[in-house]
Amino acid sequence: MNMLAHYYAIWDKLHKKLWEYKGKLSSTQIAVLMYHHITDENIDTDPTCVCKTEKFVYWLTKYINDGFTFVNVDEAYEIISKSIKGRFALLTFDDIPDSVYVNAYPILKKWNVPFVAFISPNLIDTELYITKEHLDILVRDPLCTIGAHTLNHMRLRGCNDSMGEIAESKAVLERMYGIEVSYFAYPYGRHYAVSSKNIRQTREAGFRLAFGTINTYINDYNKSQKFFLPRIVRN
């Protein structure tokens, strides 16, 4: 690990520890769960981005049994904005792979669990990623909220056109489906990939919330970070 990467990794850990320490007595707790591929197949990708179907069901069941209420992202926005007390969970998928439609979506339909699909428009209809046909079905389902994830799944820090990647991903999805896209997730989502400039750009692009990947809950302390909220990977 080079010195700059080491610096960013330390910064991530400090944020996580500070947010957890300050939020220990929080009356609001939101677990934003992040997934990519939901599949039992062996695929050529980062293992941390793959969750077996059985393990996916395990985590859904565990959060429900632990007293968390699954909410959609608009409800999460209200909880954050109005400091509503309780334990909540928000389910999110990044990119998104077609395995989300094939393997996760039937489970979510059966259990009536809402979710966010953070889409990179230029990945649609490419290998492993969601087909336009399947995305058309998700868009029509009230359980699914469409969010933006840059045009090309770009690491934004150092990107020559980071504002274009952010704003155009929103605009393309809105043109495709005639919907308002109000929520954003940063690809890679940690400090090495997301700068303070990028965080400011998501606000300027008109999003209501933006999500990173600092691995902890939203709580009374960090909920003010509306354009760099934490998410938890559960594989």
Side-chain angles (χ1 to χ4, degrees), residues 24-63:
K24 280 193 295 187
L25 300 179
S26 177
S27 59
T28 299
Q29 191 175 52
I30 307 175
V32 185
L33 307 179
M34 180 183 71
Y35 291 95
H36 294 79
H37 301 268
I38 307 297
T39 181
D40 297 326
E41 297 178 11
N42 293 318
I43 58 176
D44 185 18
T45 192
D46 185 339
T48 64
C49 292
V50 179
C51 182
K52 300 290 187 184
T53 306
E54 182 179 0
K55 202 61 182 283
F56 178 68
V57 171
Y58 165 82
W59 283 114
L60 291 180
T61 304
K62 179 171 174 53
Y63 275 92

Short mmCIF file of all heavy atoms in Angstrom, two decimals, residues 24-63:
data_model
loop_
_atom_site.label_atom_id
_atom_site.label_comp_id
_atom_site.label_asym_id
_atom_site.label_seq_id
_atom_site.Cartn_x
_atom_site.Cartn_y
_atom_site.Cartn_z
N LYS A 24 -22.98 6.14 20.12
CA LYS A 24 -23.26 5.00 21.00
C LYS A 24 -24.62 5.09 21.68
O LYS A 24 -25.28 4.08 21.89
CB LYS A 24 -22.16 4.87 22.06
CG LYS A 24 -20.90 4.18 21.57
CD LYS A 24 -19.98 3.80 22.70
CE LYS A 24 -19.43 5.01 23.42
NZ LYS A 24 -18.40 4.63 24.44
N LEU A 25 -25.03 6.30 22.02
CA LEU A 25 -26.32 6.49 22.70
C LEU A 25 -27.39 7.02 21.75
O LEU A 25 -28.39 7.59 22.19
CB LEU A 25 -26.13 7.44 23.89
CG LEU A 25 -25.13 6.99 24.95
CD1 LEU A 25 -25.01 8.02 26.06
CD2 LEU A 25 -25.53 5.64 25.54
N SER A 26 -27.19 6.81 20.47
CA SER A 26 -28.10 7.35 19.47
C SER A 26 -29.51 6.77 19.59
O SER A 26 -29.69 5.57 19.76
CB SER A 26 -27.55 7.07 18.06
OG SER A 26 -28.44 7.53 17.08
N SER A 27 -30.52 7.63 19.48
CA SER A 27 -31.91 7.17 19.49
C SER A 27 -32.39 6.79 18.09
O SER A 27 -33.45 6.19 17.94
CB SER A 27 -32.82 8.26 20.06
OG SER A 27 -32.73 9.44 19.28
N THR A 28 -31.60 7.17 17.09
CA THR A 28 -31.88 6.78 15.71
C THR A 28 -30.74 5.91 15.20
O THR A 28 -29.57 6.25 15.38
CB THR A 28 -32.01 8.01 14.79
OG1 THR A 28 -33.08 8.84 15.23
CG2 THR A 28 -32.26 7.59 13.35
N GLN A 29 -31.09 4.80 14.58
CA GLN A 29 -30.08 3.90 14.03
C GLN A 29 -30.60 3.37 12.70
O GLN A 29 -31.66 2.75 12.65
CB GLN A 29 -29.80 2.76 15.01
CG GLN A 29 -28.59 1.92 14.67
CD GLN A 29 -28.32 0.87 15.74
OE1 GLN A 29 -29.19 0.13 16.11
NE2 GLN A 29 -27.09 0.82 16.23
N ILE A 30 -29.86 3.62 11.64
CA ILE A 30 -30.23 3.12 10.32
C ILE A 30 -29.08 2.28 9.78
O ILE A 30 -27.96 2.80 9.59
CB ILE A 30 -30.56 4.24 9.32
CG1 ILE A 30 -31.60 5.21 9.89
CG2 ILE A 30 -31.07 3.64 8.00
CD1 ILE A 30 -31.88 6.41 8.99
N ALA A 31 -29.34 1.03 9.53
CA ALA A 31 -28.36 0.14 8.89
C ALA A 31 -28.62 0.18 7.39
O ALA A 31 -29.63 -0.34 6.92
CB ALA A 31 -28.50 -1.28 9.41
N VAL A 32 -27.73 0.84 6.64
CA VAL A 32 -27.86 0.87 5.19
C VAL A 32 -27.00 -0.27 4.64
O VAL A 32 -25.78 -0.22 4.70
CB VAL A 32 -27.41 2.22 4.61
CG1 VAL A 32 -27.68 2.25 3.10
CG2 VAL A 32 -28.13 3.38 5.29
N LEU A 33 -27.65 -1.31 4.15
CA LEU A 33 -26.96 -2.51 3.71
C LEU A 33 -26.63 -2.40 2.23
O LEU A 33 -27.49 -2.06 1.42
CB LEU A 33 -27.84 -3.74 3.96
CG LEU A 33 -28.37 -3.89 5.40
CD1 LEU A 33 -29.24 -5.13 5.51
CD2 LEU A 33 -27.22 -3.93 6.40
N MET A 34 -25.39 -2.72 1.88
CA MET A 34 -24.92 -2.58 0.50
C MET A 34 -24.57 -3.94 -0.08
O MET A 34 -23.82 -4.72 0.52
CB MET A 34 -23.70 -1.68 0.43
CG MET A 34 -23.16 -1.49 -0.98
SD MET A 34 -21.64 -0.49 -1.03
CE MET A 34 -20.46 -1.61 -0.30
N TYR A 35 -25.11 -4.22 -1.28
CA TYR A 35 -24.80 -5.46 -1.99
C TYR A 35 -24.51 -5.15 -3.46
O TYR A 35 -24.88 -4.10 -3.99
CB TYR A 35 -25.99 -6.42 -1.92
CG TYR A 35 -26.22 -6.99 -0.54
CD1 TYR A 35 -27.14 -6.39 0.32
CD2 TYR A 35 -25.51 -8.09 -0.08
CE1 TYR A 35 -27.35 -6.90 1.60
CE2 TYR A 35 -25.71 -8.61 1.19
CZ TYR A 35 -26.63 -8.00 2.02
OH TYR A 35 -26.83 -8.50 3.29
N HIS A 36 -23.84 -6.13 -4.09
CA HIS A 36 -23.62 -6.10 -5.53
C HIS A 36 -24.24 -7.38 -6.12
O HIS A 36 -25.43 -7.43 -6.34
CB HIS A 36 -22.13 -5.99 -5.85
CG HIS A 36 -21.51 -4.70 -5.45
ND1 HIS A 36 -21.13 -4.42 -4.15
CD2 HIS A 36 -21.19 -3.60 -6.17
CE1 HIS A 36 -20.61 -3.20 -4.08
NE2 HIS A 36 -20.63 -2.67 -5.30
N HIS A 37 -23.42 -8.38 -6.37
CA HIS A 37 -23.89 -9.64 -6.95
C HIS A 37 -24.54 -10.52 -5.88
O HIS A 37 -23.94 -10.76 -4.82
CB HIS A 37 -22.73 -10.41 -7.58
CG HIS A 37 -22.01 -9.66 -8.65
ND1 HIS A 37 -22.34 -9.75 -9.98
CD2 HIS A 37 -20.96 -8.79 -8.58
CE1 HIS A 37 -21.53 -8.98 -10.69
NE2 HIS A 37 -20.69 -8.38 -9.86
N ILE A 38 -25.73 -11.02 -6.16
CA ILE A 38 -26.38 -12.01 -5.31
C ILE A 38 -26.46 -13.30 -6.14
O ILE A 38 -27.31 -13.45 -7.02
CB ILE A 38 -27.80 -11.58 -4.88
CG1 ILE A 38 -27.78 -10.18 -4.25
CG2 ILE A 38 -28.39 -12.61 -3.92
CD1 ILE A 38 -26.97 -10.06 -2.97
N THR A 39 -25.52 -14.21 -5.90
CA THR A 39 -25.43 -15.38 -6.76
C THR A 39 -24.68 -16.51 -6.06
O THR A 39 -23.82 -16.26 -5.20
CB THR A 39 -24.71 -15.04 -8.08
OG1 THR A 39 -24.66 -16.19 -8.92
CG2 THR A 39 -23.30 -14.52 -7.84
N ASP A 40 -25.00 -17.72 -6.44
CA ASP A 40 -24.29 -18.90 -5.95
C ASP A 40 -23.25 -19.37 -6.97
O ASP A 40 -22.55 -20.36 -6.73
CB ASP A 40 -25.28 -20.04 -5.66
CG ASP A 40 -26.26 -19.67 -4.57
OD1 ASP A 40 -25.86 -18.95 -3.63
OD2 ASP A 40 -27.43 -20.09 -4.64
N GLU A 41 -23.14 -18.69 -8.08
CA GLU A 41 -22.17 -19.05 -9.11
C GLU A 41 -20.81 -18.45 -8.79
O GLU A 41 -20.69 -17.46 -8.06
CB GLU A 41 -22.64 -18.54 -10.47
CG GLU A 41 -23.95 -19.14 -10.96
CD GLU A 41 -24.39 -18.57 -12.28
OE1 GLU A 41 -23.58 -17.86 -12.92
OE2 GLU A 41 -25.53 -18.84 -12.68
N ASN A 42 -19.77 -19.04 -9.36
CA ASN A 42 -18.42 -18.48 -9.26
C ASN A 42 -18.24 -17.50 -10.42
O ASN A 42 -18.28 -17.90 -11.59
CB ASN A 42 -17.37 -19.59 -9.32
CG ASN A 42 -17.41 -20.49 -8.11
OD1 ASN A 42 -17.56 -20.02 -6.99
ND2 ASN A 42 -17.29 -21.79 -8.32
N ILE A 43 -18.08 -16.24 -10.09
CA ILE A 43 -17.92 -15.23 -11.14
C ILE A 43 -16.60 -14.49 -10.94
O ILE A 43 -16.06 -14.43 -9.83
CB ILE A 43 -19.10 -14.23 -11.14
CG1 ILE A 43 -19.25 -13.53 -9.78
CG2 ILE A 43 -20.39 -14.93 -11.52
CD1 ILE A 43 -20.33 -12.47 -9.76
N ASP A 44 -16.10 -13.94 -12.01
CA ASP A 44 -14.80 -13.28 -12.01
C ASP A 44 -14.95 -11.83 -11.58
O ASP A 44 -15.06 -10.92 -12.40
CB ASP A 44 -14.18 -13.36 -13.41
CG ASP A 44 -12.76 -12.79 -13.43
OD1 ASP A 44 -12.15 -12.67 -12.35
OD2 ASP A 44 -12.27 -12.46 -14.54
N THR A 45 -14.99 -11.64 -10.26
CA THR A 45 -15.10 -10.29 -9.71
C THR A 45 -14.55 -10.29 -8.30
O THR A 45 -14.19 -11.34 -7.76
CB THR A 45 -16.57 -9.80 -9.73
OG1 THR A 45 -16.60 -8.40 -9.45
CG2 THR A 45 -17.41 -10.55 -8.72
N ASP A 46 -14.45 -9.13 -7.69
CA ASP A 46 -13.97 -9.01 -6.32
C ASP A 46 -14.88 -9.83 -5.39
O ASP A 46 -16.09 -9.61 -5.36
CB ASP A 46 -14.01 -7.53 -5.92
CG ASP A 46 -13.43 -7.26 -4.54
OD1 ASP A 46 -13.34 -8.20 -3.72
OD2 ASP A 46 -13.08 -6.10 -4.28
N PRO A 47 -14.32 -10.78 -4.64
CA PRO A 47 -15.14 -11.62 -3.75
C PRO A 47 -15.97 -10.83 -2.74
O PRO A 47 -17.04 -11.29 -2.33
CB PRO A 47 -14.10 -12.50 -3.04
CG PRO A 47 -12.92 -12.52 -3.94
CD PRO A 47 -12.90 -11.17 -4.60
N THR A 48 -15.50 -9.64 -2.36
CA THR A 48 -16.27 -8.84 -1.41
C THR A 48 -17.55 -8.29 -2.03
O THR A 48 -18.42 -7.79 -1.31
CB THR A 48 -15.44 -7.67 -0.86
OG1 THR A 48 -15.12 -6.77 -1.94
CG2 THR A 48 -14.15 -8.16 -0.22
N CYS A 49 -17.67 -8.39 -3.36
CA CYS A 49 -18.86 -7.90 -4.05
C CYS A 49 -19.85 -9.02 -4.36
O CYS A 49 -20.81 -8.80 -5.10
CB CYS A 49 -18.47 -7.21 -5.35
SG CYS A 49 -17.56 -5.66 -5.11
N VAL A 50 -19.61 -10.21 -3.80
CA VAL A 50 -20.48 -11.36 -4.08
C VAL A 50 -21.08 -11.86 -2.77
O VAL A 50 -20.37 -12.05 -1.78
CB VAL A 50 -19.71 -12.50 -4.76
CG1 VAL A 50 -20.63 -13.69 -5.03
CG2 VAL A 50 -19.08 -12.01 -6.06
N CYS A 51 -22.40 -12.07 -2.77
CA CYS A 51 -23.09 -12.64 -1.62
C CYS A 51 -23.91 -13.84 -2.09
O CYS A 51 -24.68 -13.73 -3.05
CB CYS A 51 -24.00 -11.60 -0.98
SG CYS A 51 -24.86 -12.18 0.51
N LYS A 52 -23.74 -14.98 -1.44
CA LYS A 52 -24.53 -16.15 -1.75
C LYS A 52 -26.00 -15.89 -1.38
O LYS A 52 -26.30 -15.16 -0.43
CB LYS A 52 -24.03 -17.36 -0.96
CG LYS A 52 -22.57 -17.73 -1.23
CD LYS A 52 -22.38 -18.31 -2.61
CE LYS A 52 -20.95 -18.82 -2.80
NZ LYS A 52 -20.71 -19.30 -4.18
N THR A 53 -26.90 -16.51 -2.11
CA THR A 53 -28.32 -16.27 -1.90
C THR A 53 -28.73 -16.64 -0.48
O THR A 53 -29.49 -15.90 0.18
CB THR A 53 -29.15 -17.08 -2.90
OG1 THR A 53 -28.71 -16.79 -4.23
CG2 THR A 53 -30.64 -16.74 -2.79
N GLU A 54 -28.24 -17.76 0.02
CA GLU A 54 -28.59 -18.19 1.38
C GLU A 54 -28.12 -17.18 2.42
O GLU A 54 -28.82 -16.90 3.39
CB GLU A 54 -27.97 -19.56 1.66
CG GLU A 54 -28.31 -20.13 3.02
CD GLU A 54 -27.69 -21.51 3.25
OE1 GLU A 54 -26.99 -22.02 2.35
OE2 GLU A 54 -27.89 -22.07 4.35
N LYS A 55 -26.92 -16.61 2.21
CA LYS A 55 -26.39 -15.63 3.16
C LYS A 55 -27.18 -14.32 3.07
O LYS A 55 -27.40 -13.64 4.09
CB LYS A 55 -24.91 -15.37 2.87
CG LYS A 55 -24.14 -14.81 4.06
CD LYS A 55 -24.17 -15.77 5.22
CE LYS A 55 -23.45 -15.22 6.45
NZ LYS A 55 -22.00 -15.30 6.35
N PHE A 56 -27.63 -13.98 1.88
CA PHE A 56 -28.46 -12.79 1.71
C PHE A 56 -29.75 -12.92 2.52
O PHE A 56 -30.13 -12.01 3.26
CB PHE A 56 -28.78 -12.61 0.23
CG PHE A 56 -29.68 -11.45 -0.08
CD1 PHE A 56 -29.25 -10.15 0.11
CD2 PHE A 56 -30.95 -11.67 -0.58
CE1 PHE A 56 -30.09 -9.07 -0.18
CE2 PHE A 56 -31.80 -10.60 -0.87
CZ PHE A 56 -31.36 -9.30 -0.67
N VAL A 57 -30.38 -14.09 2.44
CA VAL A 57 -31.60 -14.35 3.21
C VAL A 57 -31.29 -14.32 4.70
O VAL A 57 -32.07 -13.80 5.51
CB VAL A 57 -32.22 -15.70 2.80
CG1 VAL A 57 -33.36 -16.08 3.73
CG2 VAL A 57 -32.71 -15.64 1.36
N TYR A 58 -30.13 -14.87 5.08
CA TYR A 58 -29.73 -14.87 6.49
C TYR A 58 -29.69 -13.45 7.05
O TYR A 58 -30.23 -13.18 8.14
CB TYR A 58 -28.35 -15.53 6.66
CG TYR A 58 -27.71 -15.25 7.99
CD1 TYR A 58 -28.05 -16.01 9.12
CD2 TYR A 58 -26.77 -14.22 8.14
CE1 TYR A 58 -27.48 -15.74 10.36
CE2 TYR A 58 -26.19 -13.95 9.37
CZ TYR A 58 -26.55 -14.71 10.48
OH TYR A 58 -25.98 -14.45 11.70
N TRP A 59 -29.07 -12.51 6.31
CA TRP A 59 -28.93 -11.15 6.81
C TRP A 59 -30.26 -10.43 6.87
O TRP A 59 -30.54 -9.69 7.82
CB TRP A 59 -27.91 -10.36 5.98
CG TRP A 59 -26.51 -10.72 6.32
CD1 TRP A 59 -25.58 -11.34 5.52
CD2 TRP A 59 -25.85 -10.50 7.57
NE1 TRP A 59 -24.40 -11.51 6.18
CE2 TRP A 59 -24.53 -11.00 7.44
CE3 TRP A 59 -26.24 -9.92 8.77
CZ2 TRP A 59 -23.62 -10.94 8.49
CZ3 TRP A 59 -25.32 -9.86 9.81
CH2 TRP A 59 -24.04 -10.36 9.66
N LEU A 60 -31.12 -10.64 5.88
CA LEU A 60 -32.45 -10.04 5.94
C LEU A 60 -33.19 -10.53 7.19
O LEU A 60 -33.79 -9.74 7.93
CB LEU A 60 -33.25 -10.42 4.70
CG LEU A 60 -32.84 -9.82 3.35
CD1 LEU A 60 -33.77 -10.32 2.25
CD2 LEU A 60 -32.83 -8.31 3.38
N THR A 61 -33.13 -11.83 7.41
CA THR A 61 -33.82 -12.42 8.55
C THR A 61 -33.26 -11.91 9.87
O THR A 61 -34.01 -11.59 10.80
CB THR A 61 -33.71 -13.96 8.50
OG1 THR A 61 -34.21 -14.43 7.25
CG2 THR A 61 -34.49 -14.61 9.63
N LYS A 62 -31.94 -11.80 9.94
CA LYS A 62 -31.30 -11.35 11.18
C LYS A 62 -31.70 -9.93 11.54
O LYS A 62 -32.02 -9.64 12.71
CB LYS A 62 -29.77 -11.46 11.06
CG LYS A 62 -29.04 -10.97 12.32
CD LYS A 62 -27.57 -11.28 12.29
CE LYS A 62 -26.85 -10.66 13.48
NZ LYS A 62 -27.46 -11.04 14.78
N TYR A 63 -31.70 -9.04 10.55
CA TYR A 63 -32.07 -7.65 10.86
C TYR A 63 -33.53 -7.55 11.28
O TYR A 63 -33.88 -6.80 12.19
CB TYR A 63 -31.76 -6.73 9.68
CG TYR A 63 -30.33 -6.25 9.71
CD1 TYR A 63 -29.33 -6.93 9.04
CD2 TYR A 63 -29.98 -5.13 10.46
CE1 TYR A 63 -28.01 -6.50 9.10
CE2 TYR A 63 -28.67 -4.69 10.54
CZ TYR A 63 -27.68 -5.39 9.85
OH TYR A 63 -26.37 -4.96 9.93
#
